[in-house]
Amino acid sequence: MARLTSFLLLSLLCFLPFCLCDKSYGGKLFPGYYAHSCPQAGEIVRSVVAKAVARETRMAASLLRLHFHDCFVQGCDGSLLLDSGGRIVSEKSSNPNSKSARGFDVVDQIKSELEKQCPGTVSCADVLTLAARDSSVLTGGPSWVVPLGRRDSRSASLSGSNNNIPAPNNTFSTILSKFNRQGLDVTDLVALSGSHTIGFSRCTSFRQRLYNQSGNGRPDMTLEQSFAANLRQRCPRSGGDQNLSVLDIISAAKFDNSYFKNLIENKGLLNSDQVLFSSNEKSRDLVKKYAEDQEEFFEQFAESMIKMGNISPLTGSSGEIRKNCRKMNS
């Protein structure tokens, strides 16, 4: 409770017109950044996201994933949103994003509305950050105060996207090292992985666990057998790469702590999920804690999302404010 009280107090202080939160939130990011230049920015983002999630609940998970995949490459700078063209080779074609990253049309809708009300003011990077928070809230998850003021990159990194974003079949140590490189620790790793309480994953992301986990033609023995049998019906040994399965078999459309309960029962869909329980004592303890206490999970998820959203933002005169999130200003 003391941790939550201090966290909320700091959040409230950050609404003051001068930035008391500079050191805690990093750089020049602060929640009131658009208070005068575009006071309706938050409501515009929330309204478009709400309509998108009402049409398709899965969109909430997709928007959260876009923010994560953006921040792990060059920082939270909107680089993921750039299409290929000129000197830009889009991150959308990387292994983690190709045929799976989605929600770009929702970002376009948000940006279009913002440009009508506040031309050239709100960055695409901040749009992603706000949309991720709203996606959590709209599916029953926690809310948090979003520090703002990011600017948009004038570059993208296909190699960074391929190398920095954890893969579904990575080992625990590889995943943790990729988080550590971003200034995130094991607590952030476990809490942020909890976003897999909503959404889906493609057969190609977990087929290895069903048929050939270690290259010996045998399945992953940490996978609960009846769960594995059901997954094989949706994910054959060959074909069906794009077939979808829910990441959380208990409540796939609700942001809660059932994801962690699944891990304890060896019913995590991805290898990168299950290793949080099977491969490391500290992460296992965190899984157990969050499975028992949803409020604790929600508090840590909010803190870790703010921390992730603070990875290497462009501020001041760096970067630009794109008019169209898919391309740099001319």
Side-chain angles (χ1 to χ4, degrees):
M1 182 58 70
R3 184 161 68 94
L4 177 59
T5 300
S6 61
F7 172 64
L8 292 175
L9 178 60
L10 180 58
S11 297
L12 289 172
L13 288 173
C14 287
F15 276 112
L16 295 176
F18 52 96
C19 187
L20 292 178
C21 55
D22 212 328
K23 290 184 179 179
S24 294
Y25 285 115
K28 298 177 182 178
L29 302 183
F30 62 102
Y33 189 85
Y34 299 113
H36 300 293
S37 60
C38 192
Q40 65 272 53
E43 181 52 41
I44 290 172
V45 175
R46 189 178 306 112
S47 176
V48 176
V49 173
K51 291 174 184 176
V53 173
R55 288 192 301 268
E56 181 193 21
T57 306
R58 181 189 173 199
M59 186 54 66
S62 299
L63 292 171
L64 273 164
R65 188 169 183 258
L66 284 186
H67 181 44
F68 167 47
H69 282 207
D70 181 49
C71 289
F72 266 57
V73 183
Q74 298 187 167
C76 307
D77 62 357
S79 61
L80 171 58
L81 303 174
L82 289 169
D83 288 338
S84 292
R87 61 184 177 82
I88 297 295
V89 180
S90 179
E91 295 169 18
K92 296 176 185 178
S93 59
S94 71
N95 291 330
N97 295 324
S98 178
K99 299 181 180 180
S100 65
R102 57 197 302 276
F104 299 109
D105 54 337
V106 177
V107 175
D108 291 340
Q109 292 169 27
I110 295 169
K111 184 61 173 173
S112 177
E113 291 300 314
L114 287 168
E115 288 300 302
K116 291 176 186 176
Q117 300 297 322
C118 316
T121 303
V122 182
S123 69
C124 300
D126 277 345
V127 166
L128 284 178
T129 312
L130 287 166
R133 188 272 311 276
D134 294 340
S135 294
S136 169
V137 174
L138 287 163
T139 49
S143 183
W144 56 92
V145 178
V146 178
L148 298 167
R150 299 165 190 80
R151 289 170 64 84
D152 299 321
S153 70
R154 295 181 57 82
S155 64
S157 177
L158 179 62
S159 62
S161 187
N162 278 321
N163 295 324
N164 295 353
I165 298 171
N169 60 351
N170 279 163
T171 63
F172 176 85
S173 60
T174 297
I175 297 168
L176 182 58
S177 69
K178 290 182 178 181
F179 270 71
N180 289 162
R181 286 203 296 268
Q182 304 299 335
L184 303 174
D185 59 24
V186 65
T187 302
D188 300 313
L189 165 58
V190 177
L192 293 173
S193 294
S195 65
H196 284 181
T197 183
I198 57 174
F200 297 78
S201 187
R202 298 177 300 154
C203 167
T204 186
S205 295
F206 58 88
R207 175 183 284 124
Q208 173 181 320
R209 298 192 71 201
L210 301 178
Y211 303 103
N212 192 25
Q213 173 71 347
S214 303
N216 58 3
R218 300 181 63 185
D220 182 352
M221 300 310 294
T222 67
L223 194 60
E224 199 273 333
Q225 291 188 9
S226 63
F227 179 52
N230 288 332
L231 289 176
R232 290 188 189 98
Q233 295 178 14
R234 293 283 303 152
C235 185
R237 189 179 294 270
S238 61
D241 285 3
Q242 307 306 313
N243 291 354
L244 297 174
S245 291
V246 295
L247 285 159
D248 177 354
I249 61 170
I250 297 176
S251 54
K254 182 180 179 183
F255 199 108
D256 56 22
N257 67 337
S258 58
Y259 164 83
F260 298 105
K261 297 176 183 178
N262 292 334
L263 299 187
I264 293 172
E265 296 180 2
N266 292 320
K267 293 180 180 178
L269 180 63
L270 305 178
N271 180 74
S272 55
D273 294 323
Q274 195 59 52
V275 294
L276 300 180
F277 186 73
S278 64
S279 298
N280 179 271
E281 184 177 356
K282 186 169 183 179
S283 66
R284 184 183 303 114
D285 288 343
L286 288 166
V287 168
K288 291 178 180 177
K289 179 166 69 171
Y290 299 152
E292 294 171 358
D293 189 339
Q294 180 167 283
E295 182 179 354
E296 179 73 20
F297 163 48
F298 278 16
E299 288 179 25
Q300 186 58 56
F301 184 79
E303 291 187 28
S304 294
M305 284 295 289
I306 292 174
K307 188 175 177 181
M308 183 181 76
N310 217 26
I311 298 173
S312 304
L314 298 174
T315 57
S317 60
S318 300
E320 64 181 11
I321 305 297
R322 289 185 216 135
K323 298 176 183 178
N324 178 338
C325 291
R326 294 176 181 263
K327 62 182 182 180
M328 296 182 295
N329 298 338
S330 55

